[in-house]
């Protein structure tokens, strides 16, 4: 999986829209960027960060096959057997099975074996680097794109795959230094999101969603990406 073309092939083989609509069926949203939708807006236009990046992770069986052929040539192998590591809750099992089926369908010669283990065991295995590829979720505690973008930095402990790209590290360093203007920093984060997608340093799949039932007699309840609800300004109508 250190082969960039193989990672690209895997990403193009995944129909994220089909996954969220036909497998998850819970309001989850297909990922189009490493940064979740609703995280931040363009300081000039007000557009969502992902509207500006466009869909960086499209589904394309043709491109999946194209990059798989390139990977075969550079690896010197026509067939591969990969192990997909995931934790053993029902949702992650279903997602892993979908990934397995999508890869085996679109990348002829690739066999994917799914290994489901308790989350603590998965984290331990990831920390040791003893895996081919794995699924893992991330929940942010501050609303800024860098909290997702920096997960692909070699300096971040969550970068279990050890993706390391000098240009990407430079971009992350510039973002975290926070010495740019708001507009310039936004553009640097856009560059980082596009570069990590081009290199498939991390391959996001979907963004989770939550449903809430609120009485029509209550107003002023606000939801954010960081918490279920803000009740500070709630009131009875």
């Amino acid at each position: 999986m250190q082969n960039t073309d193989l990672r690209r092939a895997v990403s193009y083989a995944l129909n994220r829209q089909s996954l969220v609509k036909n497998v998850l069926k819970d309001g989850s949203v297909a990922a189009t960027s490493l940064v979740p939708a609703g995280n931040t807006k363009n300081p000039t236009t007000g557009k969502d960060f992902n509207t500006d990046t466009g869909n960086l992770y499209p589904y394309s069986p043709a491109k999946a096959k194209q990059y798989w052929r390139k990977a075969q040539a550079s690896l010197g192998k026509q067939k591969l057997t990969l192990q997909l590591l995931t934790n053993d809750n029902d949702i992650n099992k279903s997602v892993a099975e979908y990934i397995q089926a999508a890869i085996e369908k679109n990348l002829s010669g690739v066999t994917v074996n799914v290994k489901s283990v308790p989350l603590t065991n998965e984290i331990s295995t990831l920390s040791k680097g003893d895996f081919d590829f794995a699924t893992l979720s991330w929940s942010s505690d501050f609303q800024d794109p860098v909290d997702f973008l920096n997960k692909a930095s070699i300096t971040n402990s969550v970068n279990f795959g050890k993706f390391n790209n000098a240009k990407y590290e430079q971009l992350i360093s510039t973002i975290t230094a926070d010495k740019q203007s708001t507009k310039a920093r936004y553009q640097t984060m856009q560059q980082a999101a596009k570069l990590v997608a081009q290199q498939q340093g991390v391959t996001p799949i979907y963004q989770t969603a939550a449903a809430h039932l609120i009485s029509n007699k209550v107003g002023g309840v606000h939801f954010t990406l960081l918490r279920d609800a803000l009740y500070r300004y709630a009131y009875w109508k």
Side-chain angles (χ1 to χ4, degrees), residues 15-197:
N15 187 336
R16 294 163 174 80
Q17 289 290 348
S18 177
L19 171 65
V20 298
K21 290 182 179 180
N22 302 318
V23 178
L24 295 173
K25 302 177 183 179
D26 60 0
S28 294
V29 179
T32 60
S33 163
L34 182 53
V35 177
N39 182 280
T40 197
K41 295 180 179 180
N42 185 316
T44 302
T45 67
K47 291 182 179 179
D48 187 80
F49 187 89
N50 292 348
T51 300
D52 285 338
T53 61
N55 186 1
L56 300 176
Y57 298 91
Y59 171 57
S60 174
K63 287 188 177 180
K65 292 177 174 60
Q66 174 188 339
Y67 282 112
W68 170 224
R69 287 193 293 270
K70 289 184 177 181
Q72 287 173 308
S74 57
L75 293 171
K77 296 181 179 181
Q78 293 302 303
K79 295 184 178 181
L80 284 178
T81 298
L82 301 171
Q83 184 180 88
L84 174 58
L85 180 66
T86 186
N87 71 63
D88 60 359
N89 70 44
D90 291 340
I91 292 176
N92 283 297
K93 284 182 178 178
S94 297
V95 172
E97 289 170 0
Y98 180 85
I99 294 172
Q100 177 188 45
I103 291 175
E104 292 184 345
K105 175 184 176 181
N106 291 301
L107 308 182
S108 178
V110 179
T111 299
V112 177
N113 297 321
V114 175
K115 182 179 181 180
S116 299
V117 298
L119 179 59
T120 53
N121 292 12
E122 182 189 19
I123 298 298
S124 176
T125 301
L126 290 172
S127 298
K128 296 174 184 175
D130 186 22
F131 67 100
D132 293 329
F133 67 140
T135 62
L136 192 66
S137 60
W138 181 255
S139 179
S140 184
D141 55 6
F142 65 98
Q143 197 161 329
D144 189 286
V146 75
D147 194 34
F148 290 88
L149 295 172
N150 67 12
K151 298 303 169 284
S153 170
I154 194 61
T155 63
N156 196 296
S157 61
V158 178
N159 182 3
F160 297 116
K162 303 303 180 186
F163 171 70
N164 192 359
N165 179 281
K167 185 176 180 181
Y168 191 74
E169 293 304 314
Q170 183 179 9
L171 290 171
I172 294 298
S173 294
T174 301
I175 295 166
T176 55
D178 204 18
K179 293 181 179 180
Q180 295 180 297
S181 67
T182 301
K183 293 180 181 179
R185 185 174 184 269
Y186 180 85
Q187 291 304 320
T188 304
M189 292 190 292
Q190 283 276 311
Q191 293 175 46
K194 292 173 182 178
L195 178 58
V196 75

